[in-house]
């Protein structure tokens, strides 16, 4: 059974700080990893994808992947109250389906 | 592009009634996925289709649940009979082959009383 694990939080950070979200996965052969953001009452939306070891930056977001440790993380720099949401880590399965963690709830305090 | 369209947005029904949820994927997408989201279990994959063919329904909780995809532009998820523990948000998502362009619909919030 392929699993994706996340700390459920809530993670609370002050406005302007760096928020660090972490995720581990069980399937060693996984190759594609995603971070989704889900606002309360809304559907998940893709914010980052990463396929290779190392860092990938997009604006205030940086995804980090370490396949040897089976670890994915998301850093949000200069956190804003509008970043308050649940962040879902996902791993692509062999048939193209996505397997999701339960999500980490982030709260950015003004 | 209208995105993935789900209906209804909200459904309240009594225990024992049949419930049908509907999904229209993005045109050109050939994979479709049904998920259920609850606070306790998170986002669970129920079933998915590639080119209208069910590939894996191991996530369907029990025989009360069934899903169909009669053509590339329409899918249904049916619960018969419904039970209070089926209360959740049900999402449909579609993607291109291999999972590229994975996009979720707005979801159906189901409440069984």
């Amino acid at each position: 059974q392929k699993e994706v694990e996340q700390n459920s939080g809530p993670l609370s950070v002050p406005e302007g700080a760096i928020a660090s979200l972490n995720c581990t996965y069980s399937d060693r052969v996984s190759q594609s990893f995603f971070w989704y953001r889900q606002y309360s009452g809304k559907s998940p939306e893709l914010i980052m994808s990463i396929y290779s070891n190392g860092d990938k930056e997009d604006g205030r977001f940086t995804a980090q992947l370490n396949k040897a440790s089976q670890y994915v993380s998301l850093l949000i720099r200069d956190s804003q109250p509008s970043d308050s949401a649940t962040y879902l880590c996902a791993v692509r399965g062999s048939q193209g389906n996505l397997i999701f963690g339960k999500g980490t709830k982030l709260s950015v305090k003004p | 592009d209208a995105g993935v369209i789900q209906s209804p947005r909200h459904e309240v029904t009594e225990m024992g009634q049949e419930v049908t949820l509907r999904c229209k994927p993005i045109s050109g997408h050939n994979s479709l996925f049904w998920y259920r989201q609850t606070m306790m279990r998170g986002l669970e994959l129920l079933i998915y289709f590639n080119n209208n063919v069910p590939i894996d329904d191991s996530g369907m909780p029990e025989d009360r649940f069934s899903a169909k995809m009669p053509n590339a532009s329409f899918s249904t998820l049916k619960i018969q009979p419904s039970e209070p523990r089926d209360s959740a948000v049900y999402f449909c998502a579609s993607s291109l082959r291999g999972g590229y362009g994975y996009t979720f619909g707005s979801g159906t919030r189901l409440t069984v009383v």
Side-chain angles (χ1 to χ4, degrees):
Chain A
Q1 178 77 5
K2 299 176 183 178
E3 292 183 349
V4 179
E5 299 287 342
Q6 295 181 254
N7 187 326
S8 62
L11 173 66
S12 183
V13 300
E15 183 174 356
I18 296 176
S20 178
L21 304 162
N22 304 314
C23 171
T24 59
Y25 58 95
S26 63
D27 189 355
R28 190 170 288 277
V29 301
S30 296
Q31 296 293 321
S32 304
F33 307 88
F34 306 86
W35 284 99
Y36 280 75
R37 178 176 62 200
Q38 186 176 24
Y39 292 114
S40 181
K42 302 295 185 182
S43 58
E45 56 176 335
L46 178 67
I47 54 172
M48 289 286 287
S49 59
I50 187 166
Y51 309 105
S52 304
N53 277 329
D55 296 358
K56 178 181 178 182
E57 187 174 316
D58 184 359
R60 295 187 295 111
F61 297 96
T62 299
Q64 299 175 317
L65 174 60
N66 183 326
K67 291 184 180 180
S69 300
Q70 296 176 239
Y71 178 88
V72 190
S73 66
L74 179 70
L75 301 178
I76 306 174
R77 292 182 299 281
D78 188 24
S79 296
Q80 301 296 309
S82 60
D83 295 325
S84 298
T86 296
Y87 290 80
L88 301 166
C89 175
V91 174
R92 178 179 290 150
S94 59
Q95 294 285 343
N97 58 303
L98 293 188
I99 303 161
F100 286 86
K102 291 185 179 180
T104 298
K105 186 172 184 179
L106 172 66
S107 177
V108 181
K109 303 296 186 182
Chain B
D1 190 342
V4 177
I5 300 173
Q6 290 188 246
S7 64
R9 291 296 306 274
H10 302 274
E11 177 80 35
V12 180
T13 190
E14 292 185 346
M15 183 173 62
Q17 296 298 305
E18 177 179 298
V19 176
T20 299
L21 311 181
R22 299 172 175 79
C23 177
K24 176 179 170 57
I26 291 174
S27 177
H29 281 191
N30 47 23
S31 296
L32 183 139
F33 310 84
W34 282 101
Y35 287 86
R36 177 172 69 176
Q37 188 173 39
T38 61
M39 289 291 292
M40 288 296 295
R41 301 177 68 87
L43 201 57
E44 303 175 277
L45 180 64
L46 301 177
I47 185 171
Y48 59 96
F49 298 83
N50 283 345
N51 296 319
N52 313 337
V53 177
I55 301 300
D56 186 352
D57 65 355
S58 61
M60 299 283 260
E62 48 196 274
D63 291 345
R64 298 184 297 106
F65 286 68
S66 63
K68 294 182 179 180
M69 191 165 187
N71 57 61
S73 59
F74 184 66
S75 177
T76 60
L77 178 68
K78 185 177 294 186
I79 308 172
Q80 167 63 22
S82 58
E83 297 182 3
R85 60 191 168 125
D86 301 330
S87 298
V89 180
Y90 290 81
F91 287 105
C92 175
S94 71
S95 77
L96 296 166
R97 184 181 298 280
Y100 297 97
Y102 218 94
T103 304
F104 282 85
S106 297
T108 295
R109 180 174 295 277
L110 173 65
T111 303
V112 183
V113 298

